[in-house]
Amino acid sequence: MKKTLFLVAALTTFTMAFAQDEAEQPKNWKYSGVIGLNANGTGMVNWAAGGNNNIAGDIFGKFNVGYEKNNLSWDAVLDIDYGLTFIDQKYDKTQKTSDHLNFDTKFGWAFQPKWYLTVNAGFHTQFDLGRNYSGDDNFDPIISNILAPSYTDISVGFDYKPVDFFSLYMSPVSGRISTAYVSDKVNEKYSQPGEVELRQQLQESYGTWYFDDANNKVYRNYRAELGLNIKAALNYKYKDLTLMSNLTLFTPYQWDKVQMYQFVGGELGEQKGFITETEYQALTPEVKDLYNQAGYRDNGRRFGNFDVDWNVTLSYQFLKVLNVTLYTDLKYVNGQMIADKDGNNAHERVQFLGNLGIGVGYSF
């Protein structure tokens, strides 16, 4: 509830600050955005087809601000969204349906018409815990959290702005820090017997490493990379229709590899430490797979393998205060392991979220 109230206050503040008529906006400044609250519910009494009563709500906002004078320009985008569903059932009554916090800013100097030498910074994470809801009284594993994951980009490159509503940014010198950080307090609270330790699970899922001597496995709370970054931004408004889209592509130059153990004929090669045949046979199948791997494990993080983050917001305002909003978010992260619906066969997958709603909203 505190997070929801905080989001409402934050969105209201941004709206009051930026929601001005074009005639009132300073000549060198540009503001645009959309803010809204969508809600829906289903009630059933003696409904033979089955189902549960439910109420769903989603609060969202996307804001763009820009400044341009002489040869200097500055742009910033803030994109936030948080949604919950309340279901009339015995377990997992409250479930998170959407959650993200994205901020991007860039400062540029025009050295040619429509071309800018630009410094860019971006930060992507979420507000709240994410769980793999089981629908029963079992412990729901935590699969995400604030700063787990998070992605921070700092880069220098060239920004091309052929028209007011579109830009294309290209950076050959881009640093990215990815985290799967989880505090000890949260780790202790949500680690239970029989479950994979929260820190271990998050680090495996989001492709960071550190070495755990007890389990002979490698994990890390963060990953720092230098790579190529490409960003495209669209911010178009026609009468009461607003279209906003941001695409980010990143590929690292360095091969992020970790040399793994090998077990051949009862002998452990490379790395430190040795185990006997009896100890090897006592390992779980997953750990055995690690020992049987030859060479390196690289999480797919090498040049040419692009991380993709693409979101689209389409909003139509009618009757002054009502909005119909379509939001989509597509992601693909090399090294972010996602299991199938049965919890098996974990590997990189295309992630997609779509949200179509009608509610109270305002675009400007």
Side-chain angles (χ1 to χ4, degrees):
M1 181 60 69
K2 291 182 179 180
K3 291 184 176 68
T4 303
L5 292 175
F6 169 78
L7 284 176
V8 172
L11 292 177
T12 303
T13 301
F14 276 104
T15 303
M16 293 176 63
F18 295 144
Q20 306 178 45
D21 294 333
E22 291 186 4
E24 298 176 350
Q25 295 184 12
K27 182 178 179 180
N28 299 319
W29 290 87
K30 292 183 179 180
Y31 307 107
S32 62
V34 58
I35 177 176
L37 173 64
N38 294 329
N40 62 77
T42 301
M44 293 169 284
V45 178
N46 300 324
W47 191 249
N52 293 304
N53 300 329
N54 64 82
I55 299 174
D58 179 76
I59 184 169
F60 63 91
K62 189 164 187 175
F63 309 94
N64 292 267
V65 57
Y67 175 82
E68 189 163 355
K69 186 176 182 180
N70 299 328
N71 291 333
L72 301 179
S73 72
W74 172 70
D75 298 279
V77 178
L78 176 65
D79 181 10
I80 55 180
D81 182 29
Y82 188 76
L84 294 173
T85 297
F86 303 92
I87 307 173
D88 184 15
Q89 59 185 20
K90 187 173 182 180
Y91 303 108
D92 298 332
K93 292 184 177 182
T94 303
Q95 300 185 16
K96 186 175 72 170
T97 52
S98 60
D99 182 8
H100 67 255
L101 167 62
N102 299 337
F103 177 73
D104 194 89
T105 184
K106 56 187 177 182
F107 180 81
W109 171 72
F111 62 93
Q112 288 288 337
K114 303 179 181 180
W115 285 92
Y116 295 78
L117 178 63
T118 300
V119 177
N120 176 258
F123 177 70
H124 298 213
T125 188
Q126 60 187 47
F127 291 99
D128 202 3
L129 294 171
R131 296 179 177 275
N132 186 12
Y133 300 106
S134 61
D136 53 35
D137 60 347
N138 292 326
F139 173 69
D140 294 327
I142 295 171
I143 57 175
S144 62
N145 194 6
I146 188 169
L147 299 182
S150 77
Y151 305 98
T152 302
D153 295 329
I154 300 176
S155 59
V156 178
F158 302 97
D159 200 16
Y160 176 57
K161 299 180 179 180
V163 290
D164 290 341
F165 56 84
F166 176 77
S167 67
L168 177 64
Y169 173 74
M170 297 158 284
S171 170
V173 184
S174 178
R176 167 167 288 191
I177 298 176
S178 306
T179 71
Y181 174 76
V182 182
S183 68
D184 291 338
K185 180 178 179 180
V186 173
N187 186 48
E188 293 171 3
K189 181 178 179 181
Y190 292 100
S191 295
Q192 297 190 6
E195 295 291 336
V196 177
E197 187 174 288
L198 174 58
R199 177 181 285 113
Q200 175 178 323
Q201 182 180 359
L202 291 173
Q203 288 164 337
E204 285 183 321
S205 297
Y206 296 106
T208 60
W209 312 91
Y210 80 85
F211 192 81
D212 180 354
D213 291 287
N215 297 306
N216 290 322
K217 299 180 76 172
V218 181
Y219 303 104
R220 188 168 74 205
N221 277 329
Y222 70 94
R223 179 181 61 240
E225 298 170 296
L226 180 68
L228 171 68
N229 201 344
I230 301 173
K231 296 185 178 184
L234 175 67
N235 181 14
Y236 182 75
K237 184 176 178 65
Y238 177 74
K239 295 182 179 180
D240 294 323
L241 182 68
T242 302
L243 174 62
M244 299 179 180
S245 179
N246 294 89
L247 171 66
T248 299
L249 303 174
F250 177 85
T251 183
Y253 293 132
Q254 182 181 2
W255 181 14
D256 186 16
K257 59 185 180 180
V258 175
Q259 192 169 27
M260 306 308 296
Y261 288 95
Q262 299 180 47
F263 185 89
V264 182
E267 296 180 359
L268 178 63
E270 306 297 335
Q271 295 287 342
K272 60 180 179 178
F274 295 90
I275 61 174
T276 66
E277 175 72 22
T278 301
E279 291 172 330
Y280 173 77
Q281 295 301 333
L283 298 174
T284 64
E286 292 78 12
V287 178
K288 280 185 179 180
D289 288 342
L290 283 177
Y291 276 89
N292 291 328
Q293 289 183 47
Y296 298 93
R297 180 179 176 187
D298 67 1
N299 270 352
R301 303 209 60 82
R302 60 180 72 180
F303 187 74
N305 291 358
F306 282 89
D307 295 343
V308 181
D309 190 348
W310 181 28
N311 63 74
V312 178
T313 301
L314 181 64
S315 177
Y316 180 76
Q317 182 175 332
F318 62 99
L319 299 179
K320 301 294 184 180
V321 295
L322 297 181
N323 259 21
V324 176
T325 305
L326 172 65
Y327 176 84
T328 64
D329 196 353
L330 185 148
K331 299 179 186 293
Y332 183 87
V333 182
N334 290 283
Q336 184 168 328
M337 311 305 289
I338 302 174
D340 58 24
K341 62 181 181 179
D342 297 320
N344 303 316
N345 193 25
H347 58 80
E348 295 96 337
R349 301 176 187 269
V350 175
Q351 306 168 55
F352 181 80
L353 180 148
N355 191 335
L356 176 63
I358 181 171
V360 178
Y362 183 71
S363 59
F364 53 93

